[in-house]
Amino acid sequence: MRYSLHVVGGEGETRLVSSLCSHQGSRKTAPSLEIREPGSDPTSTQPPLLLTIRVMKQLCTILGKATAYLPVFIVIIAVVLEYFEDPEPVRYISMAEDMKTLEENFKQQSKSCFILGASGETGKVLLQELLERNVFSKITLIGRRQLTFEGKAHDNLVQEVVDFEKLEDYAAAFQGHDVGYCCMGTTKAKAGTDGFIRVDHDYVLKSAELAKAGGCSQFHLQSSRGADKNSSFLYLKVKGQVEAEIEALGFDRYAVYRPGVLLVDRQESRPAEWLARKFFNGLTSVCSTSMAIPIEAVAKAMVSNTLLTPEQKAEILEHKAIAALGKSAGK
């Protein structure tokens, strides 16, 4: 038995499938696909098999049209992102030649630092960057558990295990450091609303307070693009609040880093995360560094900025400035 394919809607119906693509101009209602047995009643209920084929045909048509518009959609995103890019970070351009000199001068001062969040993605890369550039005489990792490393480069690391719920009892761990780096954080999905606020606000702020009381003069905080204490979004609001409250502590040098989407290959990456990384990697190649950035660039920027003499005690490095400074530190 043979079946015919009908396009129903608009000014009539046609048996030509090709008319689906051309029959758009004067139609007021969206067309639908219907498969009929010759001589059958159009109002009758279709068999399950025919209904399934109908749905599949409709999906194919919709996906086909969506795919055709995908390049246009990506171009529009690129144009919008370029328009809203951060101001040009001119002071970081062509700095690579001076970076080695800055590193040597800083190294001679025999300063020490600590890292909060060294077990996280950015913290691990930051630690590796500090070890490779060897600008500190002492590096201390402060965290909730002892970390294990391979290689002699980590032999001289000092590790302080603390209970973040009772940080006052571990004030000694924050004493005697010149520079502090904070890459600590979690997500609402992982820790819940209360857990997220406790980690990204309470733990971070209390650590900064103890570091200031212990003699730390520089504090470098990894935050997020769009952080704003007045934001209606919880994540950005918490990030903005802790930024402002740490600034009020009065460090001699305070730097906030607000990168966009962090590009990182997680070892236990979920399919959705893998797909998102691939998408942003491709998008970054289209519209420069306006939306996403490798964590290696963020780590390089944090270390390089430590070596510089800022114009103000407190500064905020937005996404584009981080990318430029990270490039200037390339080896």
Side-chain angles (χ1 to χ4, degrees):
M1 181 176 292
R2 295 182 178 179
Y3 296 91
S4 58
L5 176 65
H6 291 250
V7 180
V8 182
E11 297 178 348
E13 63 180 38
T14 175
R15 293 175 182 270
L16 297 177
V17 178
S18 60
S19 67
L20 180 61
C21 299
S22 59
H23 188 64
Q24 294 182 1
S26 60
R27 187 171 55 246
K28 294 182 180 180
T29 59
S32 62
L33 292 179
E34 182 176 321
I35 299 176
R36 295 184 193 166
E37 181 180 351
S40 63
D41 183 0
T43 62
S44 64
T45 304
Q46 299 183 55
L49 177 59
L50 297 183
L51 183 61
T52 301
I53 297 175
R54 176 187 176 187
V55 172
M56 291 177 64
K57 290 283 187 180
Q58 289 176 320
L59 287 176
C60 290
T61 301
I62 294 172
L63 290 175
K65 291 182 179 180
T67 302
Y69 287 106
L70 185 59
V72 178
F73 179 67
I74 292 178
V75 170
I76 292 175
I77 290 179
V79 172
V80 172
L81 290 174
E82 287 291 336
Y83 180 80
F84 287 104
E85 273 193 329
D86 304 323
E88 188 69 25
V90 293
R91 72 189 183 101
Y92 298 132
I93 304 301
S94 302
M95 190 184 295
E97 296 181 0
D98 301 326
M99 196 56 64
K100 285 297 181 183
T101 301
L102 291 172
E103 289 177 2
E104 290 300 323
N105 292 339
F106 191 91
K107 185 177 179 180
Q108 293 177 7
Q109 301 176 46
S110 297
K111 292 189 175 183
S112 64
C113 75
F114 70 83
I115 302 176
L116 289 165
S119 62
E121 298 295 342
T122 305
K124 287 188 290 188
V125 178
L126 174 63
L127 172 58
Q128 189 61 35
E129 183 72 13
L130 289 171
L131 291 173
E132 289 179 0
R133 296 170 74 168
N134 194 29
V135 293
F136 288 100
S137 60
K138 179 183 176 182
I139 300 176
T140 301
L141 309 182
I142 302 177
R144 65 175 73 247
R145 60 185 174 86
Q146 192 87 5
L147 303 179
T148 57
F149 301 99
E150 296 181 0
K152 294 183 178 180
H154 301 85
D155 290 348
N156 295 326
L157 292 177
V158 177
Q159 296 199 51
E160 296 284 354
V161 178
V162 302
D163 182 351
F164 284 98
E165 292 292 336
K166 304 174 182 178
L167 271 183
E168 289 283 1
D169 298 338
Y170 300 89
F174 294 88
Q175 294 177 354
H177 306 291
D178 299 295
V179 180
Y181 295 101
C182 183
C183 304
M184 184 167 58
T186 186
T187 62
K188 182 179 176 181
K190 182 182 294 185
T193 299
D194 293 340
F196 164 68
I197 295 174
R198 188 163 61 252
V199 173
D200 283 57
H201 179 274
D202 299 350
Y203 291 176
V204 171
L205 178 59
K206 189 60 181 179
S207 297
E209 292 174 348
L210 293 175
K212 181 66 169 61
C216 183
S217 59
Q218 284 196 41
F219 196 82
H220 297 257
L221 175 66
Q222 179 191 4
S223 186
S224 173
R225 188 174 192 175
D228 182 357
K229 63 182 180 180
N230 298 315
S231 176
S232 58
F233 295 97
L234 177 66
Y235 181 83
L236 299 179
K237 182 176 182 178
V238 170
K239 292 292 187 182
Q241 286 176 337
V242 77
E243 284 182 6
E245 290 169 3
I246 292 177
E247 181 178 0
L249 297 178
F251 282 96
D252 294 342
R253 172 94 188 276
Y254 175 50
V256 176
Y257 303 85
R258 292 178 175 175
V261 178
L262 297 175
L263 299 178
V264 51
D265 287 324
R266 298 180 186 273
Q267 293 180 347
E268 51 250 355
S269 176
R270 292 184 290 267
E273 292 177 339
W274 179 88
L275 184 61
R277 283 200 313 274
K278 295 300 181 184
F279 171 77
F280 283 117
N281 269 311
L283 193 59
T284 300
S285 65
V286 173
C287 51
S288 184
T289 54
S290 60
M291 192 169 185
I293 185 172
I295 57 172
E296 291 81 5
V298 177
K300 287 179 182 295
M302 293 179 76
V303 178
S304 295
N305 194 43
T306 305
L307 311 178
L308 302 177
T309 302
E311 298 175 356
Q312 299 177 340
K313 291 179 61 176
E315 61 178 342
I316 295 176
L317 280 74
E318 297 290 354
H319 180 93
K320 195 169 184 179
I322 297 171
L325 187 53
K327 276 186 179 180
S328 73
K331 297 178 182 177

